[in-house]
């Protein structure tokens, strides 16, 4: 085993890397998800022919799956153990990076008891990442792409988790960062975004205004040398979510679980987990077997769930109104792909109310000692609903994702979470409270 | 390597375990740190002869250090890899527990550059634990002792980190929990303590009142069957801190660092890290070599630092007044032992102002992307001061502990952490702000 020593031999970004000299390991090209056209690796994100989204195409290692498994198992205790399957150079672990991943897959027997799951229930707890959300995975890959392309500033628009993940990753990697947020963000989130010392620009407007502004900036000379992790680096960034699939299977002894419940914001994470599973099968790292993928939304932002239930192929945008703010994307770019995957695998897309989200956060905390962000309340709540409605088979192995930390969304549970009793400091008062067990 | 699958085959606490049947692995007895008298393993914490503190005495595995190293390296990715050196049964990893530990040891080259450290600087980042503080380590051991002694309720008095760690650990392990807090705790901390669903009792009084009440409760029949992690389980609980020493050395390739900077609250953690290092040497797991141990306090609660500087052997209690609340123990029980260790190893005890704590939190965030609790600001700030005053040798390998997460002490940095600029969503406004890099 390799212990978690994080080496950070300084490796500053070099300017003007040309496509020819770009070393992103097994990444061979970008290809359009719609028309299949291929492009050289570069900081581009939309197909020049059809405007479809670009994704990374690989020359993956073939033959000798046992050798590859052993190579992975002997690798670092982070997502870099999967470097042979990611758009990163082979020596990625020697570069300064937050090294996220290999978060616990928690066998959740007490939660299973409450939900009636008999086939084995696991929580993939991504609150264990460096800034306590799955965003560290995607940002880590974007950092390496930014390094390869010679960018010197890392940027993003964000309302929360992503701002902190980018600020922290840029600090460790020695990039300048400049993050854009709406001006009326909660004070706590501003602190989490600003503490890493990068530029933090509050925009007088809504999150949509922030996004529009960032699009302008990318097209302008002012934004030259800037890597926007979720815009011009998006094809690389998105690949970070594949590592959730890799880890889950490795942690289950190189086996695909029967059912996985995944939150939906843009839908990217769900599609990339499916992509990761298919790669593992293709490489012979796991046995090919049927699996079902389930998407989870909050009722107050459930356009994909709505489309799934209505049998539609397109997703009608909504105006989000839910406490699950990290999932509150009313017009999810990957919605149609999510529908495809849920239907192809025999899964489903379901949603729960904010009240059910809060109940589920508390259920997970009470049974497993895991304090989840609202997004984790959404997946646990949806899992319960899927079982009650017969859509998820409780007799089969099930993995539920928790993608963030409850410390970041204290407000969601605060109104209904407090002391059992308030008493004077005396045994009589304690006896009267009836809490002696 | 062993992946981080957390098995939690249900193993409920059994009542009325007698001392004879207690299996706590290599733990052989309790011995008094003052007079050396030995006692059977049990839920006791003070010597019946001299009232000195009790600590665990072991029958440790001898001979074949290479075999032991390999056994450890092949073990779980948690503190349970060190089960042969801890007061826990050999099958501890099969019981439901939060499985803390094996947190990252981060090579901090950018921080080293700012501090002028040339001999290698590392941050042991314990914010990576399940509830994001080192308390998960000590509570995990207390849980196993509670199980062995047949306790069914886990308890503690707390003003923060410990309440959450006990609540979460009890939830996972299937214990009832009842945690006591002062009634005027900040709302966020109350949520963190209450969300795991155990009993949370707010006491109308100060933290001292809470502690006095808990002492009464332990002596009363009302408290029968209760394990107070930091009172009647304290000898076991404290041993959890040894794992910091084990991990640091293993992560450095089974080598002791030249210098370690450790925060001081009660002083227990520092003494246990020293104990852990001595055990590693005795077992032949690391080469014997000199090392220096440094203690770090906030100026507003610096009784040990004061005594060290004044050349005293006793520690005069103070009334704490500092933002580093997790270190604010005015009468640290292990203060005299800390003085012994700092003097014996050629280290020192130093303190920094609250302003220096905040600066150090930001320095660590800006250089390494690690957002530390105030206690981490204390150790980083003290490290800087120790270098400036010539007490710590920048040419030698140095490990600095960060024992908690900045998300828990946002208030400390909030007043001085915010956006660089607030602008309208236009390129002109952005250009005028002068932030294009």
């Amino acid at each position: 085993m390799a212990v978690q020593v994080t080496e950070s031999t300084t490796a500053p970004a070099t300017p003007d890397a040309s496509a020819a000299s770009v070393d992103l390991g097994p990444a061979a090209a970008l290809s359009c998800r719609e028309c299949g056209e291929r492009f050289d690796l570069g900081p581009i994100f939309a197909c020049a022919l059809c405007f479809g989204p670009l994704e990374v195409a690989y020359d993956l290692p073939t033959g000798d799956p046992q050798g590859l498994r052993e190579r992975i198992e002997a690798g670092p205790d982070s997502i870099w153990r999967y470097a042979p399957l990611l758009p990163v150079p082979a020596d990625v672990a020697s570069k300064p990076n937050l090294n996220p991943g290999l978060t616990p897959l928690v066998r959740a027997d007490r939660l299973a008891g409450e939900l009636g799951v008999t086939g084995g229930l696991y929580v993939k707890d991504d609150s264990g990442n460096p800034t306590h959300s799955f965003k560290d995975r995607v940002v880590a890959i974007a950092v390496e792409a930014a390094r390869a392309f010679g960018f010197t500033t890392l940027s993003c628009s964000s309302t929360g988790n992503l701002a902190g993940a980018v600020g922290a990753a840029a600090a460790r990697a020695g990039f300048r960062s400049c993050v854009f947020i709406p001006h009326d963000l909660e004070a706590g989130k501003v602190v989490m975004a600003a503490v890493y010392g990068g530029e933090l620009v509050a925009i007088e407007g809504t999150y949509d205004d922030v996004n529009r502004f960032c699009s302008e900036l990318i097209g302008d000379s002012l934004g030259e040398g800037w890597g926007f992790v979720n815009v011009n680096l998006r094809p690389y960034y998105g690949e970070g979510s594949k590592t959730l699939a890799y880890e889950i299977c490795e942690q289950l002894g190189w086996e695909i679980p029967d059912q996985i419940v995944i939150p939906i914001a843009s839908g990217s994470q769900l599609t990339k987990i499916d992509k990761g599973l298919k790669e593992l099968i293709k490489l012979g790292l796991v046995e090919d077997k049927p699996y079902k993928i389930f998407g989870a939304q909050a009722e107050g932002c459930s356009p994909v769930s709505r489309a799934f239930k209505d049998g539609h192929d397109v997703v009608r945008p909504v105006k989000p109104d839910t406490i699950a703010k990290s999932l509150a994307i009313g017009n999810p770019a990957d919605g149609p792909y999510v529908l495809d995957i849920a239907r192809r695998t025999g899964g489903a897309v379901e949603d729960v109310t904010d009240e059910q989200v809060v109940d589920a956060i508390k259920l997970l905390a009470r049974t497993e000692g895991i304090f989840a962000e609202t997004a984790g309340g959404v997946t646990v709540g949806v899992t319960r609903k899927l079982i009650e409605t017969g859509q998820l088979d409780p007799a089969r192995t099930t993995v539920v994702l928790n993608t963030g930390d409850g410390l970041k969304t204290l407000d969601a549970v605060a109104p209904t979470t407090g002391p059992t009793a308030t008493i004077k400091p005396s045994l009589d008062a304690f006896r009267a409270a009836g809490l002696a067990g």
Side-chain angles (χ1 to χ4, degrees), chain A:
Chain A
M1 88 118 233
V3 289
Q4 283 173 293
V5 175
T6 302
E7 292 294 338
S8 76
T9 47
T10 26
T14 53
D16 293 330
S18 74
S21 72
V22 166
D23 172 13
L24 288 176
L30 295 177
S31 76
C32 175
R33 194 147 34 152
E34 288 300 328
C35 74
E37 183 70 16
R38 282 168 80 99
F39 302 87
D40 281 347
L41 294 171
I44 52 174
F45 53 102
C47 175
L49 302 184
C50 76
F51 301 105
L54 300 182
E55 61 178 4
V56 177
Y58 295 91
D59 286 332
L60 288 179
T62 50
D64 192 20
Q66 183 54 28
L68 181 55
R69 266 196 293 261
E70 284 167 14
R71 186 172 152 200
I72 290 170
E73 289 170 356
D77 284 354
S78 72
I79 59 171
W80 304 136
R81 64 203 286 109
Y82 308 108
L85 313 180
L86 295 171
V88 295
D91 65 345
V92 62
S94 71
K95 298 175 192 291
N97 195 297
L98 287 181
N99 306 328
L102 216 63
T103 55
L105 181 72
V106 178
R107 168 100 186 183
D109 284 348
R110 283 165 45 80
L111 177 62
E114 298 254 357
L115 297 182
V117 174
T118 55
L121 180 65
Y122 298 84
V123 176
K124 179 63 176 171
D125 185 12
D126 245 16
S127 69
N129 278 315
T131 73
H132 308 317
S133 90
F134 93 97
K135 292 287 185 190
D136 290 326
R137 297 178 184 272
V138 286
V139 170
I141 308 278
V143 163
E144 296 311 320
R147 219 191 292 270
F149 298 137
F151 290 138
T152 49
T153 298
L154 276 186
S155 186
C156 70
S157 56
S158 172
T159 60
N161 283 335
L162 187 57
V166 168
R172 173 74 62 80
F175 285 79
R176 180 175 180 268
S177 71
C178 188
V179 168
F180 299 92
I181 57 172
H183 70 125
D184 56 355
L185 211 58
E186 301 94 305
K189 290 193 174 164
V190 173
V191 173
M192 293 180 216
V195 75
Y196 300 103
E199 311 291 354
L200 180 71
V201 179
I203 297 283
E204 291 172 353
T206 65
Y207 181 59
D208 286 339
D209 294 323
V210 179
N211 271 327
R212 257 192 305 275
F213 168 76
C214 287
S215 302
E216 280 185 65
L217 189 53
I218 290 172
D220 193 89
S221 62
L222 277 175
E224 234 165 68
W226 287 42
F228 283 78
V229 299
N230 54 349
V231 187
N232 57 354
L233 297 175
R234 190 171 185 85
Y236 311 94
Y237 169 90
E239 295 293 288
S241 289
K242 289 194 313 181
T243 59
L244 280 161
Y246 302 156
E247 291 182 17
I248 289 168
C249 291
E250 184 184 351
Q251 290 173 319
L252 289 174
W254 296 106
E255 206 166 294
I256 298 178
D258 299 318
Q259 307 171 119
I260 310 182
V261 184
I262 304 168
I264 299 173
S266 72
S268 166
Q269 185 182 70
L270 188 147
T271 65
K272 295 298 182 177
I273 288 175
D274 180 59
K275 187 182 180 195
L277 294 175
K278 288 197 281 190
E279 284 172 0
L280 292 180
I281 292 170
K282 195 174 158 197
L283 291 166
L285 291 174
V286 298
E287 217 172 299
D288 194 359
K289 63 167 261 192
Y291 58 84
K292 296 185 179 186
I293 289 196
F294 297 85
Q297 296 203 295
E299 188 182 84
C301 182
S302 52
V304 189
S305 172
R306 188 75 270 143
F308 181 84
K309 291 174 182 176
D310 292 346
H312 292 162
D313 291 334
V314 292
V315 173
R316 176 179 291 176
V318 301
K319 197 166 182 296
D321 178 20
T322 168
I323 58 169
K325 296 205 188 302
S326 61
L327 304 182
I329 297 184
N331 188 14
D334 286 340
Y337 302 111
V338 167
L339 291 171
D340 277 355
I341 292 167
R343 288 176 179 139
R344 171 171 53 76
T345 64
V349 185
E350 190 49 275
D351 57 90
V352 283
T353 65
D354 282 1
E355 201 185 335
Q356 290 170 319
V357 171
V358 171
D359 284 350
I361 290 173
K362 292 183 180 177
L363 173 65
L364 180 61
R366 172 167 65 77
T367 52
E368 301 296 338
I370 297 172
F371 183 21
E373 213 215 275
T374 43
V378 169
T379 50
V380 172
V382 160
T383 302
R384 173 149 65 179
K385 190 167 175 183
L386 288 167
I387 292 168
E388 284 166 2
T389 54
Q391 298 176 85
L392 188 139
D393 184 349
R396 297 201 159 269
T397 310
T398 304
V399 173
V400 179
L401 262 61
N402 171 39
T403 51
D405 202 291
L407 290 181
K408 296 191 180 191
T409 54
L410 285 176
D411 290 349
V413 293
T416 58
T417 305
T420 321
T422 300
I423 63 169
K424 292 198 187 308
S426 82
L427 293 178
D428 281 346
F430 183 64
R431 192 175 291 110
L435 295 174

